[in-house]
Amino acid sequence: MNIFWFIPTHGDSRYLGTSKGARQVDHAYMKQIAVAVDNLGYDGVLIPTGRSCEDPWITAASLIDATKQLKFLVALRPGITTPALAARMAATFDRLSNGRILLNLVTGGDEQELKGDGLYEDHRARYQTASEYVKIWREILTRSHTGESFTFHGERLSVDDAKLLYPPVQKPYPPLWFGGSSADATELAAEQVDTYLTWGEPPAAVKEKIDHLKAKAAAKGRILNYGIRLHVIVRETNEQAWAAADELIQYLDDATIAAAQKKFAEMDSVGQQRMAALHGGRKDQLEISPNLWAGIGLVRGGAGTALVGDPETVAARIQEYADLGIDTFIFSGYPHLEESIRFAELVFPLLPLKTREKLAQPHLTGPFGEIIANNYVPEVKDSKSLAKETA
């Protein structure tokens, strides 16, 4: 089990759909989050992409020296960058960070936004471009380890004698991740990517997706890894967690919801359509599966669901997804700095043993917590004893 967090380069707040409680997301704040999750033991961070976000590559590169072990999941954008340039960028980042880049293939789902970036392709054409793009990208990186060049002439993309002089640290190339729900997307995933990502749909829907991808990949002689993207609202009791969920959308009015849903409906992303269908734009039908809450998707595009509950409940729901074959969980919460710490403190001790040991911090000497009455030291409990108490 791999646990990732999220760098909110599109903004952060205590509440959704309002400027109340909002905070500026500058480099200092992004660095705070990155350093916190690195020290807490998270495996990596997802950095979003799109017109509403800071550039993910520059953001990630600016955080290399601030972190030690943290991996960065950064977007590849077919049609917006060339595959040869993207291969060189990936190899350089991989070398400078000593193997800490992961690539997230993003084809886009908003034609209006894509036209603003100079990409004039419909849904089917974008996937045709993406397929050729990934083939070129992978081959350039793979052949860089032996010094070979690569020539390819496809229907949409071509390269002649493409060569990379400085190979990546990770072999044969930094792992490639991808999420998509359309038929074109699942075909691309089965044929070319390493990890398939899904947004947080109910377990039965996620199982259906994974089973479908496993069969398609097996037919091509391939085996994929699987990940899921979720928000999380965890508190010490279930009542506190559900109250926090209500507070998150307490300033959200019907007009804001309607405007957001209208925009989402204009997109050609099947995944976004599936997210919107979970709640139908209604605030009275948000728990779509036990402890799976769709309130975030009322106004936020992309991942729109959250696990809500006390630590034991959230850990149990995580395990339900893990039992389906999910091995990577990408979480986030509002606001992202505080929630990354809260989630680690409350849930990490309850995760499966191997993950718990991996995430455990080094043993330090000295008192922990505030000294009581200037003399007494609070009792120290490690993650194993805490997990035993809560089991």
Side-chain angles (χ1 to χ4, degrees), residues 51 77-80 107 110-129 156 268:
R51 182 165 59 187
R77 300 302 307 269
I80 296 177
T107 59
D110 184 345
E111 287 194 14
Q112 181 181 357
E113 179 178 337
L114 291 169
K115 289 176 182 178
D117 284 334
L119 181 59
Y120 293 82
E121 292 182 340
D122 62 19
H123 185 275
R124 172 57 64 86
R126 291 201 305 273
Y127 277 98
Q128 292 172 339
T129 297
R156 311 189 73 84
D268 63 14

Side-chain angles (χ1 to χ4, degrees), residues 230-257:
L230 285 158
H231 303 274
V232 64
I233 303 173
V234 61
R235 297 294 186 270
E236 293 191 9
T237 69
N238 280 311
E239 293 76 15
Q240 291 172 346
W242 284 110
D246 290 336
E247 289 173 3
L248 186 61
I249 60 172
Q250 65 178 303
Y251 300 109
L252 194 55
D253 58 42
D254 291 340
T256 302
I257 294 173

Side-chain angles (χ1 to χ4, degrees), residues 19 28 40 45 53 79 108 119 137 144 179 181 183 189 211 227 237-238 276 278 334 354 356 379:
S19 60
L40 288 164
V45 287
C53 307
L119 181 59
W137 182 86
S144 68
S181 297
D211 289 346
T237 69
N238 280 311
L278 294 176
Y334 295 91
K354 288 184 179 180
R356 196 161 66 234
E379 181 182 356

Side-chain angles (χ1 to χ4, degrees), residues 199-220:
W199 285 329
E201 299 182 19
V206 172
K207 181 181 186 302
E208 183 179 354
K209 271 188 175 182
I210 291 177
D211 289 346
H212 178 64
L213 261 296
K214 281 184 176 179
K216 289 184 73 70
K220 300 176 184 296

Side-chain angles (χ1 to χ4, degrees), residues 65-83:
D65 281 351
T67 54
K68 302 178 183 70
Q69 304 297 324
L70 201 67
K71 294 183 178 180
F72 299 92
L73 183 54
V74 182
L76 278 184
R77 300 302 307 269
I80 296 177
T81 61
T82 68

